[in-house]
Every structure is written in C-alpha cells, then in structure tokens.
Amino acid sequence: AQSVTQLDSHVSVSEGTPVLLRCNYSSSYSPSLFWYVQHPNKGLQLLLKYTSAATLVKGINGFEAEFKKSETSFHLTKPSAHMSDAAEYFCVVSERTNAGKSTFGDGTTLTVKP
Amino acid sequence: DSGVTQTPKHLITATGQRVTLRCSPRSGDLSVYWYQQSLDQGLQFLIQYYNGEERAKGNILERFSAQQFPDLHSELNLSSLELGDSALYFCASSPQVGGLSTEAFFGQGTRLTVV
C-alpha cells in the first residue's frame, strides 16, 4: 500500500522568494517519487523524479527535491519563484516497477505575487 | 508537447449515455494508463494496459471499461453516465523498459461534462 500527503493545499509566495512545497509519503516498498506540475487547462508535466539514485534530485525550471527516507519526505523547492511557476503541483508515489500505478497527492496550488 | 494525444478535448453528454475516449500513446510506449481528475476525488488511477493486456486496476467503476489495441492506442468507455462522472480524464503512457519505473507522460486530457 502507498499513500501521499501534500501538507499544504495552497502556498503563496512573492516573486523572487523561495518556494517550498511539502510532501510526505508512505510505502510498503522502496518507491519511486515524482513531482508533476499542472498549469490551468493543461496536462501534467514531469518536474523531477527520484528512482533510488541520488537523494537530491534536480528537475526542470530550477526545481529540486530531496528524498529523505528517515522522514518519509520528498519536499519540492526552488530558490527564487517566477510568475510562470504559478500552477498546481502534485507529489506522486509509485511502485518501482510500475510507473503508472501511481498514487497522487491532493495537489498544492502555488500562487506567485508580483 | 508530451507526445500523448487524447481525443476529443471536450465532451458534453446527457446522463445515461455512453461515450468513448481515445488515447494515442507516445511512439514506442507500450504502457497506457487512464486517470480521472475531479474536484472532489482529486487525481485517481483507473486502469493500466501493457502491450494490449490489462496490467493494473485502480478505482475504476464497473460502468467503465478500457482496452488497448494492437497499434497500442487505447480507448476508455464510460457507460450509464451520471452527473458525478463529470471530470477531466487523462491518459498517460510510459515506455516501461526492463520492468523499471519511468515517468508517465500525460496527454492534455478530455474534459467530460455530463448534464
């Protein structure tokens, strides 16, 4: 069994300030973890993924996430927010051998203020 | 552009009707997944096909069915539609090479409205 909890349903930051989107997971096996972004009226786009290599994962658009097994966390960060980062973000856990049988978090809506 | 194509983009239909959603995966991807995104349920995994065979099942209702054809495109059939079936339905594909997990590439979705 696996589950994902995104700790904040909404996060609001000012442009140029750091972003932190929090995600905790539970899994009965070694999971793969992903962050996806969904802009309004668009499909989901992969930001980054962890699949058992380096625990600090760098993704697109300056985002990165750190896998912390002891804390069962996979928080998403970015040093400096841009207006174009405003979107909904999903943390996802999946079986290592089956990317699609995934469990999505409820999503975090990121608002970026000018 | 993810390379995954879903048609139609929008669909409006009446309760009790049946609709078919179509998905063309990325070239070479053998796995196709269907997801439902609704306001109250969030993103839910429905079903996965791998090279024509059902591989995994999630929270898919008995009124819903899917199949993957020899050319690897997939269709999701929704019947006896209810107002609560209104949602965004996503298809995703994945290469699933060597049994290792890779990310799934998502289509733009089909927005189904049941009236």
Side-chain angles (χ1 to χ4, degrees):
Chain A
Q2 58 192 23
S3 67
V4 177
T5 302
Q6 291 185 240
L7 298 168
D8 308 291
S9 58
H10 291 87
V11 170
S12 181
V13 301
S14 296
E15 191 174 20
T17 65
V19 175
L20 170 64
L21 305 183
R22 298 181 296 164
C23 171
N24 286 350
Y25 71 93
S26 71
S27 177
S28 51
Y29 39 74
S30 295
S32 292
L33 293 158
F34 307 83
W35 276 99
Y36 284 86
V37 61
Q38 185 180 26
H39 287 93
N41 300 314
K42 300 280 189 186
L44 291 94
Q45 181 186 19
L46 179 72
L47 278 178
L48 48 80
K49 63 179 178 180
Y50 166 79
T51 56
S52 84
T55 56
L56 182 61
V57 181
K58 293 188 185 300
I60 62 171
N61 301 335
F63 284 95
E64 62 181 41
E66 187 171 7
F67 173 70
K68 292 187 177 180
K69 187 175 180 179
S70 60
E71 299 176 12
T72 60
S73 69
F74 190 59
H75 301 336
L76 182 70
T77 60
K78 182 173 181 177
S80 176
H82 191 272
M83 296 297 291
S84 62
D85 294 328
E88 188 157 19
Y89 293 78
F90 293 93
C91 181
V92 182
V93 61
S94 76
E95 295 178 9
R96 188 69 62 78
T97 56
N98 194 343
K101 194 177 180 184
S102 302
T103 300
F104 280 70
D106 290 336
T108 298
T109 300
L110 175 65
T111 301
V112 182
K113 298 175 291 187
Chain B
D1 182 8
S2 67
V4 178
T5 304
Q6 289 187 248
T7 57
K9 286 189 167 44
H10 301 275
L11 199 49
I12 301 176
T13 190
T15 54
Q17 294 299 304
R18 173 189 169 94
V19 296
T20 297
L21 312 183
R22 183 188 168 101
C23 170
S24 294
R26 291 188 329 150
S27 178
D29 285 358
L30 297 179
S31 277
V32 170
Y33 317 87
W34 287 97
Y35 288 84
Q36 179 193 58
Q37 185 179 34
S38 60
L39 285 174
D40 55 343
Q41 300 272 358
L43 252 165
Q44 301 245 340
F45 167 70
L46 294 178
I47 196 165
Q48 178 201 2
Y49 278 80
Y50 177 77
N51 203 21
E53 300 286 328
E54 184 183 302
R55 172 92 183 261
K57 221 167 189 175
N59 300 321
I60 188 166
L61 300 173
E62 285 191 12
R63 300 182 285 109
F64 295 0
S65 64
Q67 55 185 326
Q68 187 179 27
F69 294 87
D71 67 353
L72 300 177
H73 90 272
S74 177
E75 292 181 356
L76 179 67
N77 300 297
L78 315 176
S79 61
S80 303
L81 284 167
E82 302 174 0
L83 294 178
D85 297 327
S86 296
L88 193 53
Y89 290 85
F90 283 108
C91 168
S93 74
S94 171
Q96 206 70 39
V97 174
L100 294 178
S101 180
T102 67
E103 70 267 24
F105 295 84
F106 284 79
Q108 301 267 12
T110 293
R111 182 167 295 284
L112 173 67
T113 303
V114 183
V115 297

